[in-house]
Amino acid sequence: MHSTAYRPDIDGLRALAVLPVVLFHIDPGLMPGGFLGVDIFFVISGYLISSILYREQAQGTFSLTVFYARRVRRLFPALLLVLVAVLGFGYVALFADEYQRLGNHAFFSIIFLLDFRLMRESGYFDVASFAKPLLHLWSLSVEEQFYLVWPVLLLFLRRLGLRLGPLLLLGAVGSLVFAQYFGEMAPAAVYYHPVARFWE
């Protein structure tokens, strides 16, 4: 399986996307709107993964098993380290109800459904974001859901002989309409929704 050649320009864009997010989390006044870096990161990730998938599927070298194994090797070591460190610190630093919520979030993080869990929690009675040490992993959940669905969808469309361009445009427009419509009703919840992020 061939990997995409290293792109220092894309690594630079990743840094530019991450920096405003970090500054926003330190103090929103340092970088108002810094959370938009997450959107940029999704676009970069979608571009890179799609480039690999398009090329390998066209060459006939694509394997779902190899693709998913590569994702596991790339993500799970760092994810497990974060979860062990946060759960270990939380065990001595948090009250029982806070630790229970943390354990719940850790579980949903490891199965890449934290975004859906956070959607259910959003609202008037939700706790402050600083009380959710694993909150940042919602974006990893969205990304992994994309990785689970996107290769299978591309294979399916290719085998049907359908043109990807018009279908992608339709999906992107549908995603934007979904984000706009539900964003007016439940902006905090739709922020985490993978369908609202598909266009990216």
Side-chain angles (χ1 to χ4, degrees), residues 136-152:
H136 62 288
L137 293 179
W138 75 267
S139 61
L140 183 61
S141 291
V142 170
E143 195 165 352
E144 289 311 297
Q145 290 157 19
F146 172 76
Y147 292 154
L148 284 172
V149 173
W150 190 233
V152 176

Side-chain angles (χ1 to χ4, degrees), residues 87 89-103 131 133:
L87 287 169
F89 181 76
Y91 184 77
V92 297
L94 298 176
F95 293 113
D97 62 324
E98 294 172 329
Y99 194 68
Q100 183 179 14
R101 182 175 58 245
L102 178 62

